[in-house]
Amino acid sequence: MIARNARSRGRLLLGRGKNTMLLGLLLPASLLLTGCLGTLMGALCEVSPDSDHCYQASAVQEGNDDNCDKVSGKDFGGYSNPPKDKCHLLIAENTGDASTCSKIEGGMMSYTEEECLAAAFKNHTVEDCKTAEDEMACRSAWGKNGKGCGDGYVYDKSKGGCDVKKEEPEPTENPFDNDKVKEDLKTIGDAGKSGYMQLLDWDIEHEKDPDRLAGLQKYKEFLEGAGEKLEEVTTTFEKLQDLKKIFIDSYDPKDSIENMSASSILAPGFFDRLKDKLTGGSEPDNASRAEDALTVYEKMLERQKDNDFLQQSRLSRVGDTIISTAKDKATEKLKESAEELAKGIAGDAFAVVGIVDHALSSFQEEAQKQMFVGLAAAYNRQRESIAQSNPNLSPEEIHKRTVQNVKDNPYEDVPNSGFVKYGNIIENGDCSTAGNNPLCIDNRVFWTAMDKTYEFSHRAKK
């Protein structure tokens, strides 16, 4: 039970009014510390005046979607059961277990399976299924929706679910144990003419992981370009294998800011959430949400700084690997050529931009910080307006439109507030081109932080 509680990281929704008072009176502090609050709440729900929300909160706290069946939806006349559907949605959002979304019934005023899946996928990965009640059902829900089954698993269309990945039989001849290829390989130019490229094509053809495949394909492009520009540079089979690994590693998305969770940065602990509910804690206003967005922006900038360092390191390793066997004196020139070639072909994987320190320092002075808070608040206001006027748009499209709208019309919703200066941040552009101007943002990170924070703070619909 304690382990299950630990997996429930999202918002705990308790009932309002008398139900909240009842829970506040009946939950001794000693029982709160046992880790079994969900079970205790379930027992109390039988006498609660708002049993549906009480059972909902109990199920969400336990992370057990079977308990959502106790939510009757009696207040909705049988046309739909929003509290029960929301029970499944919140469990999916908290745990990443998308399998519970198949239990969404939908209907008027309720939630859809698509909304539930979006909530599950937003801040989780398929590897979170390791802690699900039914790990294989969880992985299958991810795989069915094109998200993959995770390491060691494969999606079987005929079965409509994920299965343990079977060891593929070894080829009759190991393509990377070919002495003839090694003997023929003397220079970079030989890579495209000898059997090495055939071995690489074999590797690409048999690669199932999309991120590794992207790295292999870009590596092949690099070799084709290097065969023309660095044709006479000496190399070995082992050195080329080192280069291949650098490209594959560069397409590993695990550290991307897109995979960071705003909830892990901002979410209060369980007892803080419970205290807020029992004491009637107020909902955050737009100013506090904007402050939260800056907090997420700062943490994401710090992660991006680490990513930039890794990219720089990998790019340098490309050049070092190329010249490690070079015999001529122009090794530095060769290294520069190799790095430029890698950047041109691999794009973002090697596109090192040293602007994070500038972006971090740009809002840390209090006098300047309020301008950034104003920009974040403008994003929140305009996104709410766009969402309300376009209820059928996806969150991704709403975010995209909001970013463009804020860039084009930062003061659109406050036309008479000429004293507000946050629009200058937009006019100054990206920190990579803003020179010494302190009012700038890292566009790679800022808008992602705005999106993540907005989604985190607007999860509950009612």
Side-chain angles (χ1 to χ4, degrees):
M1 182 180 302
I2 293 175
R4 186 182 297 163
N5 286 343
R7 294 198 299 270
S8 297
R9 298 187 294 269
R11 178 178 287 108
L12 174 64
L13 296 182
L14 300 180
R16 300 185 179 93
K18 295 180 180 179
N19 187 44
T20 303
M21 291 290 292
L22 178 63
L23 287 172
L25 292 172
L26 296 181
L27 295 181
S30 60
L31 288 176
L32 289 178
L33 297 175
T34 65
C36 299
L37 179 61
T39 301
L40 177 61
M41 289 171 59
L44 294 175
C45 290
E46 295 180 8
V47 296
S48 169
D50 187 1
S51 59
D52 273 357
H53 281 91
C54 185
Y55 280 127
Q56 180 195 80
S58 173
V60 172
Q61 173 60 23
E62 286 292 296
N64 186 346
D65 65 347
D66 289 339
N67 290 339
C68 295
D69 292 336
K70 298 178 182 179
V71 181
S72 67
K74 57 183 181 298
D75 294 332
F76 291 87
Y79 296 103
S80 62
N81 193 341
K84 180 180 178 181
D85 286 343
K86 187 167 187 177
C87 182
H88 292 298
L89 183 148
L90 287 173
I91 290 174
E93 183 177 61
N94 292 349
T95 65
D97 186 355
S99 65
T100 188
C101 295
S102 63
K103 300 179 182 180
I104 293 278
E105 297 174 0
M108 187 178 299
M109 299 171 61
S110 194
Y111 301 82
T112 65
E113 183 175 353
E114 289 71 23
E115 288 178 300
C116 180
L117 291 170
F121 299 147
K122 187 65 176 178
N123 291 316
H124 295 276
T125 71
V126 67
E127 298 307 330
D128 289 327
C129 289
K130 292 177 182 177
T131 57
E133 291 292 324
D134 187 336
E135 179 179 355
M136 198 56 71
C138 177
R139 290 185 182 276
S140 294
W142 281 74
K144 182 180 180 180
N145 288 278
K147 302 293 183 178
C149 296
D151 293 339
Y153 298 86
V154 64
Y155 188 74
D156 187 335
K157 290 184 178 180
S158 64
K159 296 180 179 179
C162 295
D163 202 353
V164 176
K165 188 176 183 180
K166 297 179 176 62
E167 291 290 334
E168 294 187 7
E170 291 291 326
T172 55
E173 180 183 359
N174 187 335
F176 289 104
D177 186 22
N178 192 318
D179 292 336
K180 184 67 168 62
V181 171
K182 295 181 180 180
E183 290 174 4
D184 292 343
L185 193 59
K186 305 298 181 184
T187 68
I188 294 289
D190 291 336
K193 302 172 186 176
S194 69
Y196 184 82
M197 197 63 80
Q198 293 177 329
L199 301 183
L200 181 57
D201 286 337
W202 185 95
D203 203 3
I204 291 173
E205 180 182 352
H206 290 81
E207 183 54 63
K208 305 302 181 184
D209 182 273
D211 301 311
R212 284 179 57 87
L213 179 60
L216 288 171
Q217 290 170 333
K218 290 300 181 181
Y219 171 56
K220 181 180 179 180
E221 289 183 47
F222 173 81
L223 282 185
E224 291 170 343
E228 299 176 1
K229 296 184 178 182
L230 308 170
E231 182 178 4
E232 300 301 322
V233 176
T234 58
T235 191
T236 65
F237 180 86
E238 289 71 25
K239 290 298 179 185
L240 289 181
Q241 292 299 83
D242 288 341
L243 274 176
K244 182 178 76 171
K245 187 176 186 304
I246 294 171
F247 274 82
I248 291 174
D249 288 346
S250 298
Y251 282 83
D252 185 346
K254 69 179 185 302
D255 293 322
S256 169
I257 59 171
E258 294 292 341
N259 291 327
M260 289 184 72
S261 167
S263 62
S264 65
I265 300 171
L266 296 175
F270 166 68
F271 290 106
D272 292 327
R273 297 197 304 273
L274 181 61
K275 181 186 69 175
D276 287 345
K277 292 297 180 182
L278 295 179
T279 59
S282 59
E283 287 292 318
D285 57 19
N286 197 31
S288 64
R289 289 193 182 106
E291 291 273 3
D292 284 347
L294 272 192
T295 299
V296 174
Y297 177 46
E298 183 172 17
K299 294 298 182 183
M300 286 188 172
L301 279 174
E302 291 170 356
R303 169 73 65 82
Q304 189 62 46
K305 184 176 182 179
D306 291 338
N307 291 344
D308 286 352
F309 178 81
L310 290 174
Q311 287 171 327
Q312 181 66 69
S313 173
R314 292 187 185 115
L315 186 60
S316 180
R317 282 164 52 204
V318 168
D320 290 339
T321 303
I322 285 290
I323 68 171
S324 61
T325 56
K327 305 298 184 183
D328 53 64
K329 298 179 181 180
T331 54
E332 193 60 33
K333 185 65 176 177
L334 288 174
K335 180 179 179 180
E336 292 177 3
S337 298
E339 291 178 3
E340 287 301 316
L341 182 62
K343 282 196 293 185
I345 289 174
D348 291 343
F350 289 121
V352 181
V353 184
I355 64 174
V356 171
D357 285 335
H358 188 186
L360 273 169
S361 62
S362 65
F363 65 85
Q364 291 179 341
E365 290 186 22
E366 188 60 32
Q368 294 173 181
K369 181 179 178 180
Q370 294 310 310
M371 295 189 189
F372 291 86
V373 171
L375 181 58
Y379 171 90
N380 288 336
R381 290 193 304 269
Q382 292 199 29
R383 177 159 177 168
E384 287 181 350
S385 175
I386 291 174
Q388 289 172 4
S389 58
N390 299 274
N392 296 324
L393 289 181
S394 67
E396 291 77 16
E397 180 60 28
I398 291 173
H399 166 67
K400 181 179 178 181
R401 291 192 184 187
T402 303
V403 172
Q404 192 58 53
N405 208 60
V406 173
K407 287 181 177 180
D408 293 341
N409 305 288
Y411 304 124
E412 181 179 64
D413 58 327
V414 283
N416 297 321
S417 298
F419 60 89
V420 182
K421 299 300 182 183
Y422 56 79
N424 293 343
I425 301 173
I426 299 295
E427 294 178 4
N428 290 336
D430 195 274
C431 288
S432 62
T433 57
N436 295 324
N437 196 316
L439 297 178
C440 64
I441 57 174
D442 184 332
N443 279 284
R444 299 173 301 168
V445 184
F446 185 81
W447 302 111
T448 300
M450 298 301 105
D451 180 33
K452 294 272 188 176
T453 311
Y454 184 93
E455 288 292 332
F456 171 73
S457 62
H458 288 74
R459 284 177 180 172
K461 288 188 176 182
K462 59 188 183 74

